[in-house]
Amino acid sequence: MARVAARLSASGEQSTHPVDEVLPLPKLALYGFQHVLAFYAGAVIVPIIVGSALKLSPEQLVYLINADLFTCGIASIIQAFGIGRIGARLPLIQGVTFTAVSPMIAIGLGAGGGTAALLVIYGAVITAGIATFAFAWLPANAFRAVMRLFPPVVTGTVITVLGIVLIPVGLNDAAGGLGTPDFGDPKNFAYAGGTMLFILVLMKLGKPFLSSIAILLGLVAGTAVAFLLGDAKFGDVGNAGWIGVSTPFHFGVPKFEWFPIVLMLIVMLITMVETTGDTYAVGDIVGKEVDSETVARALRADGAATALGGILNSFPYVAFAENVGLVRMTKVKSRFVVVAAGVFMIILGLLPKAAAIVAAVPHGVLGGAATVMFAMVALAGIQTLAKVDLKEEKNALVVGVSLAFALLPATVPVLFSKHMDPDLSSLLNSGVTLGATAAIVLNLIFNGLAKDEAQTAVHAPAQVVAEAKAEVAVPAQPAAAPAGAEKAAEKGAEKGAEKGAEKGAEKGAVKTAEKADDAGAPAS
């Protein structure tokens, strides 16, 4: 590993801002706000989608957005700064997980929609958060044993299912919002298509920073066009207050019902896989070793933030993969940048007018942006599955049958609405739940528990895997050659055979590191 680290340092990959460095205030503010920009669209889209599906009023929707941002800020500070043995102390932004969108909508609609539905959701969220927090305190052996349930064939399938199930949610918004009077109006598809095209052009032609905030810019541009054409209404912005504090249990005392709690526990199992991958990925990027205790601290922060979310009128939290990519792209690795971003989010969460502006985004515009985001989630799952041997029939069956189960609620909704007990329907009427459960059970049947070595290969820091494979890439040499090659490399010697071996090892390390990063960073 020392040789790999030396090569990365020589190639300029090491940051001038290491993970524990506190930057000057102007840089801290600038880099922190950049994280907020990259994160903002993903942060607010979940409360918008869930609130719209539950038929909440504009004022209630604004409150949800404020509560989400406020809690995101607190959660990110806990994760990055750390409190005792809680928080990974890595530059990880916490955001509401997309995994919970479909299950929360199913729970909410099963409870009749409106604020009554929120109370049932919050009861499940609080319970799942406490359970996740407790799980992360298990002894190391027990902790590793549970994580062996999630080899790449399972995580890749779950993430793919998540994207596939969420894409119809984005398409319904692109059509104008399910149940709205103008649902299906071609005008809505025009806004969605224009927004989507704008985002794709930015991602194709824009510079790295513009690409990282393409979703946000697409929402802004689409809303601006809709406003000019008279289809974006900002009347509620004037009615919103300048300052608003998210108070605990704003909508009432949470209700703790058995089936929604089970459903949310399944959601948190999936988010644990996401956070584990993101923790290893960002640890590799910043050059900090990640062990099982670091992962456990990250999951404790997830659990604490999720329980806090249920208390402060928000939803389950996970480490955001989008911001892991931003750390890699900018090479600004200080965790205190994320602490600064958390402060910005808390401030935004205290400004109802800002949330009212976001709530005024037309459904068509939102649907265009959301469809792109959800499609990219599905792609992330496919990329993980690309590293699985799908020529092996057992793995192919796990993936294929799980996808079939995931499509059942959308394909045969009458099974859940008319031929199933309402409580059971609220648990099973979710493609994410059925697909994830099928993937875990089928993998256990066909493949059994993942071996510890296999799990390490999936989640270990990319540097470790890269170094191991780079050593194989070096041609066989006499016994003294490796030491000579290392010494020559350190001194900058340019002997032909040693230089070729060094380049081969470096190329192998970089290529394998990229592959390991892809495997270890599932999307939110």
Side-chain angles (χ1 to χ4, degrees):
M1 184 179 294
R3 289 195 292 276
V4 175
R7 287 195 289 271
L8 287 175
S9 180
S11 63
E13 290 294 324
Q14 293 292 333
S15 170
T16 56
H17 303 306
V19 65
D20 292 318
E21 179 182 356
V22 181
L23 306 182
L25 188 59
K27 285 188 175 181
L28 208 60
L30 177 62
Y31 292 145
F33 193 65
Q34 180 176 248
H35 267 288
V36 175
L37 290 178
F39 155 91
Y40 194 84
V44 301
I45 202 169
V46 173
I48 290 175
I49 291 173
V50 173
S52 299
L54 299 183
K55 310 298 183 187
L56 298 183
S57 69
E59 294 79 12
Q60 292 167 337
L61 191 56
V62 166
Y63 195 94
L64 275 189
I65 295 170
N66 277 124
D68 177 25
L69 289 170
F70 184 78
T71 313
C72 280
I74 297 173
S76 297
I77 292 172
I78 292 173
Q79 186 71 276
F81 187 78
I83 300 175
R85 295 178 64 189
I86 303 171
R89 290 177 171 81
L90 290 169
L92 286 167
I93 289 280
Q94 296 292 106
V96 174
T97 175
F98 290 117
T99 309
V101 170
S102 183
M104 287 193 299
I105 291 175
I107 292 171
L109 294 180
T115 56
L118 286 177
L119 300 182
V120 178
I121 292 173
Y122 291 147
V125 168
I126 292 170
T127 306
I130 294 172
T132 303
F133 185 79
F135 166 78
W137 290 95
L138 286 175
N141 290 339
F143 182 80
R144 284 196 297 269
V146 174
M147 297 312 292
R148 287 170 62 194
L149 291 169
F150 304 103
V153 68
V154 172
T155 57
T157 301
V158 169
I159 298 165
T160 303
V161 163
L162 174 62
I164 290 174
V165 168
L166 287 177
I167 286 173
V169 176
L171 292 176
N172 277 331
D173 267 323
L178 195 62
T180 59
D182 62 346
F183 182 73
D185 190 322
K187 175 182 63 177
N188 296 319
F189 287 109
Y191 285 130
T195 302
M196 187 181 296
L197 180 63
F198 184 82
I199 292 170
L200 295 176
V201 169
L202 278 182
M203 296 181 75
K204 173 67 176 176
L205 303 177
K207 295 182 179 180
F209 177 65
L210 286 178
S211 297
S212 73
I213 59 171
I215 296 289
L216 178 65
L217 294 179
L219 289 170
V220 172
T223 303
V225 172
F227 177 74
L228 293 175
L229 297 177
D231 292 317
K233 311 296 184 183
F234 290 96
D236 290 326
V237 176
N239 298 328
W242 284 103
I243 302 293
V245 178
S246 182
T247 55
F249 309 121
H250 173 78
F251 295 102
V253 178
K255 294 181 180 179
F256 298 89
E257 297 184 3
W258 174 250
F259 282 112
I261 288 173
V262 172
L263 184 56
M264 202 56 61
L265 287 172
I266 294 172
V267 167
M268 292 308 295
L269 276 175
I270 299 168
T271 63
M272 283 193 287
V273 181
E274 295 181 49
T275 292
T276 299
D278 289 340
T279 302
Y280 276 116
V282 81
D284 177 57
I285 292 169
V286 304
K288 185 172 181 178
E289 184 178 355
V290 172
D291 55 17
S292 59
E293 172 60 20
T294 307
V295 174
R297 291 202 311 266
L299 295 178
R300 289 167 199 153
D302 268 10
T306 298
L308 184 64
I311 294 170
L312 293 179
N313 319 291
S314 190
F315 304 113
Y317 283 87
V318 70
F320 253 38
E322 292 91 328
N323 291 81
V324 173
L326 185 60
V327 174
R328 169 179 290 282
M329 185 173 63
T330 62
K331 296 182 175 62
V332 178
K333 303 173 183 179
S334 170
R335 61 190 174 99
F336 294 98
V337 167
V338 170
V339 174
V343 173
F344 278 122
M345 284 186 279
I346 290 173
I347 294 172
L348 287 173
L350 297 173
L351 302 175
K353 283 191 181 296
I357 293 172
V358 174
V361 174
H363 280 287
V365 174
L366 178 65
T371 301
V372 174
M373 292 177 67
F374 297 154
M376 294 306 293
V377 172
L379 177 61
I382 293 170
Q383 288 174 329
T384 301
L385 289 175
K387 297 164 182 63
V388 177
D389 182 10
L390 293 179
K391 292 181 181 179
E392 173 62 49
E393 186 175 298
K394 294 179 180 179
N395 290 332
L397 283 171
V398 171
V399 178
V401 176
S402 299
L403 290 175
F405 270 94
L407 294 174
L408 183 61
T411 308
V412 194
V414 67
L415 171 65
F416 302 90
S417 62
K418 293 185 178 180
H419 303 291
M420 193 175 290
D421 178 80
D423 287 335
L424 185 61
S425 176
S426 68
L427 173 65
L428 299 180
N429 191 13
S430 164
V432 175
T433 303
L434 289 180
T437 304
I440 294 170
V441 172
L442 289 172
N443 182 67
L444 285 174
I445 293 172
F446 288 113
N447 297 321
L449 285 172
K451 296 180 180 179
D452 285 337
E453 343 29 304
Q455 197 68 3
T456 300
V458 178
H459 295 305
Q463 272 191 356
V464 178
V465 182
E467 182 185 14
K469 293 193 176 181
E471 296 294 338
V472 178
V474 180
Q477 300 289 338
E486 181 177 355
K487 184 177 180 181
E490 292 172 352
K491 293 182 177 181
E494 297 183 354
K495 294 181 180 180
E498 292 171 349
K499 184 177 180 182
E502 181 68 12
K503 286 185 176 180
E506 183 172 353
K507 183 177 180 180
V510 172
K511 184 176 180 181
T512 311
E514 291 172 352
K515 289 184 177 181
D517 283 344
D518 287 342
S524 1

